[in-house]
Amino acid sequence: MNILIWHVHGSWTTSFVQGPHTYLVPVTPDRGPDGLGRARTFDWPDSVVEVAPERLRDTDIDVVVLQRPHEPALVDRWLGRRPPLVYLEHNAPHGNVPDTRHPAADIPGVTLVHVTHFNRLMWDNGALPTEVIEHGVVDPGHRWSGELPRAAVVVNEPVRRGRTTGTDLLPAFARAAPLDVFGMGTERLTTLPEPCRTHELAQADLHTEMARRRLYLHPVRWTSLGLSLLEAMFLGMPVVALATTEVTEAVPPGAGVVSNRVDVLTDAVRDFVADPLHARVVGDGARAAALARYGLTRFLDDWERLLKEVTR
């Protein structure tokens, strides 16, 4: 198939484009939000092809994967027609939860896909055909060494997103162990004591540096299921996480410590830092759980089934 999809979520798209199709990614001269083109920091195969908007009317397209509310208007303007439409929702709803109506709920002919069962439950999806296709991750390999007695946190824009990403909880965790906070905009995070550090790394370096830390800390209150959490599990890192949104499904017993009690979580951080052997055993459990549920083959098979259904 020829699949039109905008470059919106680099990590998720990296898994999606491992399938057997041609993936048409809009590109504009300014490489703005509606025309980023191919990723420059992720490893995408040659089957991902940049296409200028003015060429789309004359391009065969079997299905469009939408990800943002304004993209149906781009389809109408750029294509002049509507191929089968799938709306992929990455996020949990914000606002008047659980009464937040999904922006695609009133678009006829759309199939809505959520990345977690929690998200499907919490959005008001209207009468749309709605499915869940859980994440799949390109396996980075078992890289955990845990050589540094520190906790890794991955979050973009932690200051702007504040309580949503649990930024206010970081000082409490910093009293349990030094933190390394990775992500865009982390240089603005100035409230953490020494010897905590912030880092903005290229994707190619991020996994290596995460895996050198003793554990992965996920203090996020309200989001979808962060791919960085799953990637940490694939790396063989033990997880300490808030028991919110889909985390209780993703991190089973034996893969880490999941709780909404900050004292329980800070104690878990101390325990992993103090006991590398315990961290290794739990990290092995995390990797096994991630491979079993979030493997790439299952993910691609689920999408293949759905794409065949909507284009039939």
Side-chain angles (χ1 to χ4, degrees):
M1 302 182 194
N2 287 341
I3 300 172
L4 177 64
I5 182 169
W6 278 264
H7 175 186
V8 173
H9 191 307
S11 293
W12 183 91
T13 307
T14 297
S15 295
F16 184 66
V17 299
Q18 305 303 314
H21 307 291
T22 298
Y23 305 89
L24 304 174
V25 180
V27 62
T28 55
D30 64 349
R31 291 190 178 266
D34 291 333
L36 282 173
R38 284 177 57 93
R40 299 179 179 180
T41 57
F42 295 90
D43 185 15
W44 287 3
D46 293 340
S47 56
V48 182
V49 178
E50 293 183 344
V51 58
E54 60 269 19
R55 289 179 46 210
L56 288 172
R57 285 181 180 265
D58 299 321
T59 301
D60 291 332
I61 296 173
D62 296 292
V63 62
V64 180
V65 177
L66 307 167
Q67 300 170 83
R68 297 170 297 176
H70 71 280
E71 289 179 355
L74 293 179
V75 170
D76 293 340
R77 187 163 75 247
W78 291 357
L79 276 67
R81 64 192 188 281
R82 283 197 173 183
L85 302 177
V86 174
Y87 195 112
L88 169 66
E89 180 53 66
H90 293 283
N91 300 313
H94 284 271
N96 188 23
V97 180
D99 297 321
T100 308
R101 190 166 178 84
H102 196 276
D106 300 310
I107 303 176
V110 171
T111 298
L112 180 58
V113 178
H114 292 287
V115 296
T116 72
H117 292 276
F118 179 88
N119 291 1
R120 180 184 188 178
L121 178 70
M122 299 306 290
W123 279 103
D124 174 3
N125 303 304
L128 284 183
T130 307
E131 298 212 23
V132 175
I133 298 182
E134 295 187 320
H135 287 300
V137 175
V138 177
D139 184 8
H142 192 304
R143 301 194 198 179
W144 181 88
S145 67
E147 63 197 78
L148 300 178
R150 304 169 67 89
V153 183
V154 178
V155 59
N156 289 325
E157 301 293 341
V159 175
R160 178 180 62 82
R161 297 167 72 192
R163 287 179 54 83
T164 297
T165 54
T167 305
D168 59 304
L169 302 176
L170 294 179
F173 286 109
R175 290 191 288 272
L179 307 181
D180 285 299
V181 185
F182 300 91
M184 295 183 294
T186 54
E187 75 281 353
R188 297 178 56 205
L189 189 60
T190 59
T191 58
L192 295 180
E194 292 286 343
C196 298
R197 299 283 186 271
T198 63
H199 313 263
E200 185 170 345
L201 300 177
Q203 186 71 18
D205 301 321
L206 177 60
H207 290 158
T208 298
E209 290 303 315
M210 285 171 61
R212 296 180 64 210
R213 276 67 188 175
R214 188 68 49 83
L215 69 135
Y216 184 79
L217 172 64
H218 190 70
V220 181
R221 282 190 176 90
W222 185 260
T223 185
S224 190
L225 182 58
L227 278 170
S228 58
L229 170 66
L230 299 182
E231 289 165 355
M233 295 171 68
F234 272 87
L235 291 168
M237 302 182 72
V239 170
V240 174
L242 292 182
T244 55
T245 62
E246 192 82 353
V247 170
T248 55
E249 292 282 331
V251 187
V257 177
V258 176
S259 175
N260 286 325
R261 289 182 51 175
V262 174
D263 60 328
V264 170
L265 298 177
T266 52
D267 285 346
V269 170
R270 291 188 184 95
D271 289 345
F272 284 130
V273 167
D275 191 343
L277 179 59
H278 175 54
R280 176 181 294 278
V281 170
V282 175
D284 287 346
R287 175 169 168 78
L291 285 168
R293 183 160 186 168
Y294 299 104
L296 189 64
T297 299
R298 189 274 311 155
F299 171 80
L300 293 175
D301 286 349
D302 287 351
W303 271 103
E304 192 69 9
R305 172 190 53 78
L306 178 73
L307 293 169
K308 287 179 178 177
E309 287 178 1
V310 300
T311 57
R312 184 172 297 152

